[in-house]
Amino acid sequence: MPYRWTDTEGQTMEAPRSEAAPLPDQLHLWPYRSLPRKGFVFFIGATVVMVSLPLLSLLGHVELWGLLPFIALAIAGVWWAISHSYRTGEVLEVLTFNGPDLHLIRHEPGKPSRDWAANPHWVQADLHGKGGPVEAYLTLRGGPREVEIGAFLTPEERRQLHRELVIRLAAARAPVAP
């Protein structure tokens, strides 16, 4: 899943802590990438090879020089489009549980970071089945406003995240034993 629970030392946890924890937990969310960087390099290389194969028959002919700029432009266009997709998809949401504070920061490329803070005692995770911009729309309500979280996740991932957030918010509300 394109999200991960960690503790303060950066150690990955399988799920949120079910008991109130003295150490803060963090939830990192990011959009899923179906084409990793290694796959990008392979795809561009395969595209160059496939486009170059028909050009082998034109070796030694003047027509080759007429086609090369268009072939280079097509490959550059594919490179730019995929690179642009990577840049615009570099969204990161970080939700931090730190004692009496709950803090959500959304980092997007080319935009200033947006943050939201509230007391976890008053925060509620809401899963809207219908009426939201996406199916199974997940929001956090509390403090001065309601904010979305994980809008780039699939509906099933948002449902799973909702269950985990409800558990973690309940643990944050529980009184800490002395």
Side-chain angles (χ1 to χ4, degrees), residues 7-9 17 21-25 97-98 168:
D7 60 14
T8 47
E9 288 107 29
R17 300 173 196 216
L23 296 175
D25 295 341
F97 288 86
N98 191 4
R168 185 57 182 95

Side-chain angles (χ1 to χ4, degrees), residues 32-44:
Y32 177 74
R33 287 276 163 229
S34 60
L35 183 65
R37 293 286 181 178
K38 190 184 281 188
F40 170 69
V41 171
F42 177 77
F43 177 77
I44 293 295

Side-chain angles (χ1 to χ4, degrees), residues 26-119:
Q26 282 190 338
L27 172 66
H28 297 254
L29 301 106
W30 61 91
Y32 177 74
R33 287 276 163 229
S34 60
L35 183 65
R37 293 286 181 178
K38 190 184 281 188
F40 170 69
V41 171
F42 177 77
F43 177 77
I44 293 295
T47 302
V48 169
V49 168
M50 296 300 282
V51 168
S52 299
L53 283 177
L55 293 179
L56 290 177
S57 65
L58 293 177
L59 282 177
H61 294 86
V62 93
E63 290 85 6
L64 174 68
W65 296 106
L67 290 176
L68 277 180
F70 296 103
I71 301 295
L73 188 62
I75 291 170
V78 169
W79 182 293
W80 178 86
I82 295 174
S83 296
H84 178 72
S85 173
Y86 275 117
R87 281 190 307 276
T88 58
E90 291 175 349
V91 175
L92 177 66
E93 293 179 352
V94 180
L95 180 66
T96 305
F97 288 86
N98 191 4
D101 296 320
L102 179 67
H103 199 91
L104 176 66
I105 301 175
R106 181 178 172 99
H107 305 280
E108 292 180 80
K111 295 182 180 177
S113 295
R114 294 183 287 171
D115 60 351
W116 174 80
N119 185 328

Side-chain angles (χ1 to χ4, degrees), residues 100-144:
D101 296 320
L102 179 67
H103 199 91
L104 176 66
I105 301 175
R106 181 178 172 99
H107 305 280
E108 292 180 80
K111 295 182 180 177
S113 295
R114 294 183 287 171
D115 60 351
W116 174 80
N119 185 328
H121 185 75
W122 304 109
V123 174
Q124 209 170 8
D126 295 325
L127 188 65
H128 307 279
K130 299 202 188 258
V134 293
E135 181 185 342
Y137 188 57
L138 182 58
T139 60
L140 294 175
R141 188 167 32 98

Side-chain angles (χ1 to χ4, degrees), residues 20 174-178:
V176 178

